[in-house]
């Protein structure tokens, strides 16, 4: 088996374990209605907010900004997104913006996630390797019932994916060699970066992460160590 030496499975979370788009849209809908733009598409709002995610992290990855946790970046990105939907963030109470920002803490798992993770946990250490910060991951896990053994990722490593430190420091924290750790992700780019660091790789397709018109990450773009349709299939391929 390709993962014979692997002791830990670490997971991308946004899109791979949870449905960020649906969760953010669910919480954005009443907010938009309260502020007089109920005709706005909450899914488009979720997309617009998410589109600022990578550029904001690049400010950190490039060294132009010290490491800043994702909750802070999300909050800044929220204020930057609102004017495009006809809302002046200066006219919204701070507490209301803070509450909407917590939408990222309350995302729903994909239907197979909890049962699949529980099966995988029987044999492997399982943990997030997410760009989400620690309290975000804790809140999400407690609400969704995600059975992590530890909370790892960018804030612990002090580096955002796809920087090598994000992967290598995660393995180091687990006292494992990179090849003893497998990244499970729905994103080919994330897996490619992990592979360059020596991690094993498992692709799990999430063809509706970006909605019904998704065109990216529909199939495995490299010969990853494992390719699965969902977490249950992954567990089955691993004989669990």
């Amino acid at each position: 088996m390709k993962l014979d030496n692997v002791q830990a499975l670490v997971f991308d979370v946004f899109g791979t374990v949870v449905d960020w788009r649906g969760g953010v849209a669910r919480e954005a809908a009443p907010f938009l209605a309260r502020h007089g733009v109920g005709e706005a598409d909450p899914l488009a709002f979720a997309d617009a907010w998410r589109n600022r995610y990578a550029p904001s992290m690049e400010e950190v990855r490039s060294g132009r900004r010290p490491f800043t946790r994702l909750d802070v970046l999300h909050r800044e990105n929220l204020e930057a997104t609102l004017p495009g939907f006809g809302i002046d963030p200066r006219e919204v109470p701070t507490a209301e913006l803070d509450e909407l920002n917590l939408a990222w803490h309350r995302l729903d798992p994909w239907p197979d996630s909890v049962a699949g993770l529980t099966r995988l946990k029987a044999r492997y250490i399982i943990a997030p390797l997410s760009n989400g910060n620690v309290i975000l991951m804790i809140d999400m896990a407690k609400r969704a019932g995600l059975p992590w053994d530890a909370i790892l990722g960018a804030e612990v490593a002090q580096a955002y994916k796809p920087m090598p430190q994000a992967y290598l420091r995660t393995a180091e924290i687990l006292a494992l060699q990179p090849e003893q750790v497998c990244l499970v992700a729905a994103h080919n780019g994330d897996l490619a970066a992990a592979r360059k660091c020596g991690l094993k790789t498992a692709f799990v397709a999430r063809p509706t992460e970006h909605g019904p018109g998704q065109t990216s990450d529909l199939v495995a773009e490299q010969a990853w160590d494992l390719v699965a349709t969902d977490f249950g299939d992954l567990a089955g391929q691993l004989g669990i």
Side-chain angles (χ1 to χ4, degrees), residues 218-235:
L218 297 176
V219 297
E221 295 173 3
Q222 293 188 36
W224 307 121
D225 295 297
L226 287 174
V227 176
T229 56
D230 60 24
F231 288 174
D233 180 34
L234 181 62

Side-chain angles (χ1 to χ4, degrees), residues 134-158:
V134 172
I135 190 60
L136 188 163
M137 289 291 116
I138 290 172
D139 286 349
M140 182 192 295
K142 290 181 78 67
R143 177 184 177 277
L146 305 175
W148 303 126
D149 291 309
I151 301 293
L152 304 176
E155 189 176 20
V156 179
Q158 291 288 287

Side-chain angles (χ1 to χ4, degrees), residues 36-192:
V37 289
E39 74 283 358
D41 181 356
L43 289 167
F45 183 85
D47 290 337
W49 192 357
R50 175 72 174 189
N51 285 343
R52 296 180 181 274
Y53 171 78
S56 65
M57 288 187 298
E58 185 56 30
E59 288 297 301
V60 176
R61 287 191 292 253
S62 69
R64 291 188 293 269
R65 182 175 188 177
F67 186 85
T68 305
R69 68 179 57 171
L70 189 60
D71 271 341
V72 175
L73 299 181
H74 273 157
R75 181 66 164 73
E76 295 171 356
N77 294 342
L78 171 59
E79 292 196 26
T81 300
L82 289 173
F85 289 80
I87 299 172
D88 185 344
R90 296 169 297 183
E91 297 180 359
V92 181
T94 297
E96 193 173 355
L97 293 176
D98 290 343
E99 181 62 23
L100 181 56
N101 200 46
L102 291 174
W104 297 93
H105 293 226
R106 297 189 284 257
L107 304 178
D108 295 331
W110 295 115
D112 59 280
S113 290
V114 174
L117 288 172
T118 300
R119 287 172 65 185
L120 294 165
K121 180 185 173 81
R123 179 180 298 173
Y124 300 97
I125 297 167
I126 62 167
L129 200 177
S130 173
N131 284 328
N133 50 283
V134 172
I135 190 60
L136 188 163
M137 289 291 116
I138 290 172
D139 286 349
M140 182 192 295
K142 290 181 78 67
R143 177 184 177 277
L146 305 175
W148 303 126
D149 291 309
I151 301 293
L152 304 176
E155 189 176 20
V156 179
Q158 291 288 287
Y160 280 120
K161 297 187 295 181
M163 293 181 72
Q165 301 96 305
Y167 307 99
L168 295 173
R169 289 177 184 162
T170 296
E172 183 182 1
I173 288 163
L174 292 171
L176 296 173
Q177 296 300 311
E179 64 271 17
Q180 295 177 295
V181 179
C182 177
L183 176 69
V184 181
H187 309 120
N188 286 280
D190 196 359
L191 293 171

Side-chain angles (χ1 to χ4, degrees), residues 12-57:
D12 172 71
V13 174
F14 297 119
T16 301
V17 178
V18 298
D19 172 15
W20 61 264
R21 189 172 188 259
V24 170
R26 178 189 64 233
E27 304 228 0
F31 173 89
L32 294 169
R34 281 196 306 274
H35 291 278
V37 289
E39 74 283 358
D41 181 356
L43 289 167
F45 183 85
D47 290 337
W49 192 357
R50 175 72 174 189
N51 285 343
R52 296 180 181 274
Y53 171 78
S56 65
M57 288 187 298

Side-chain angles (χ1 to χ4, degrees), residues 197-210:
C197 293
L199 277 69
K200 298 297 185 181
T201 53
F203 177 79
V204 177
R206 297 299 189 191
T208 60
E209 175 189 356
H210 297 282

